[in-house]
Amino acid sequence: GAVVSQHPSRVICKSGTSVKIECRSLDFQATTMFWYRQFPKKSLMLMATSNEGSKATYEQGVEKDKFLINHASLTLSTLTVTSAHPEDSSFYICSARARDSYTQYFGPGTRLTVL
Amino acid sequence: QKEVEQNSGPLSVPEGAIASLNCTYSDRGSQSFFWYRQYSGKSPELIMSIYSNGDKEDGRFTAQLNKASQYVSLLIRDSQPSDSATYLCAVNVRNTGGFKTIFGAGTRLFVKA
């Protein structure tokens, strides 16, 4: 149980384009989803927290207009990186938590490369 | 003081030995604690959760919690080269509206064959 998927697993795009990453909870209802980014050999960095049906809460320093998060259902959250630049290249990981649960389960991650 | 602190390592142990990973946290009111394993280039995967003082065992893994000392540890018995990874300690800390999960920076473990 507690399986979280992400799609795509890897994406390469040109600078200036937008990229959408999907995060799905496959066998539970995720009332809260989290988006992280991680640079090579660095720690996880929380970007934002989203609750189903509500606007996402962004961490300090994360541009909400650049990283658009939508949590439209209890099983799906999306992260859109708008007008991507090479410095946005990173490993993006989502996690999900069910209602009344204390535990986050991570998706497999999406490796974004912006040329 | 960071909310969750771990020694970054690397911690190197020989195959078959016990690996001991430690974590301290600052919020005395924390009630939920987790250990995740992250292989290079992969996302974290949950190994164990622990909520009560004492030991919790699952196979070769034992989590230990001491709330009075604000300390949580992970022991890996009979360490294998496949255990080589970064181990993340995570703690649920109180915030407005409930709680949030804070991750430590992780300890890199190398198990030498």
Side-chain angles (χ1 to χ4, degrees), chain B residues 23-44:
Chain B
C23 173
T24 58
Y25 60 95
S26 60
D27 183 359
R28 190 170 286 279
S30 296
Q31 298 293 328
S32 310
F33 308 86
F34 309 88
W35 283 99
Y36 290 82
R37 176 176 62 198
Q38 186 175 22
Y39 290 113
S40 180
K42 302 294 185 181
S43 67

Side-chain angles (χ1 to χ4, degrees), chain A residues 51-88:
Chain A
N51 290 298
E52 185 265 339
S54 303
K55 287 185 179 180
T57 302
Y58 290 81
E59 296 298 304
Q60 193 171 12
V62 178
E63 300 174 61
K64 62 181 181 180
D65 294 331
K66 181 168 183 63
F67 299 100
L68 301 178
I69 291 171
N70 185 285
H71 190 166
S73 78
L74 286 171
T75 59
L76 173 64
S77 176
T78 60
L79 167 67
T80 302
V81 183
T82 62
S83 186
H85 289 99
E87 57 266 31
D88 298 323

Side-chain angles (χ1 to χ4, degrees), chain A residues 22-95:
Chain A
E22 291 186 350
C23 177
R24 294 181 185 272
S25 57
L26 299 185
D27 53 0
F28 67 101
Q29 293 187 327
T31 50
T32 307
M33 285 185 165
F34 307 85
W35 287 95
Y36 296 84
R37 66 188 295 183
Q38 188 175 36
F39 293 106
K41 300 189 186 302
K42 298 295 184 183
S43 304
L44 283 176
M45 188 194 85
L46 179 65
M47 299 175 67
T49 301
S50 73
N51 290 298
E52 185 265 339
S54 303
K55 287 185 179 180
T57 302
Y58 290 81
E59 296 298 304
Q60 193 171 12
V62 178
E63 300 174 61
K64 62 181 181 180
D65 294 331
K66 181 168 183 63
F67 299 100
L68 301 178
I69 291 171
N70 185 285
H71 190 166
S73 78
L74 286 171
T75 59
L76 173 64
S77 176
T78 60
L79 167 67
T80 302
V81 183
T82 62
S83 186
H85 289 99
E87 57 266 31
D88 298 323
S89 299
S90 188
F91 191 40
Y92 291 86
I93 313 171
C94 74
S95 70

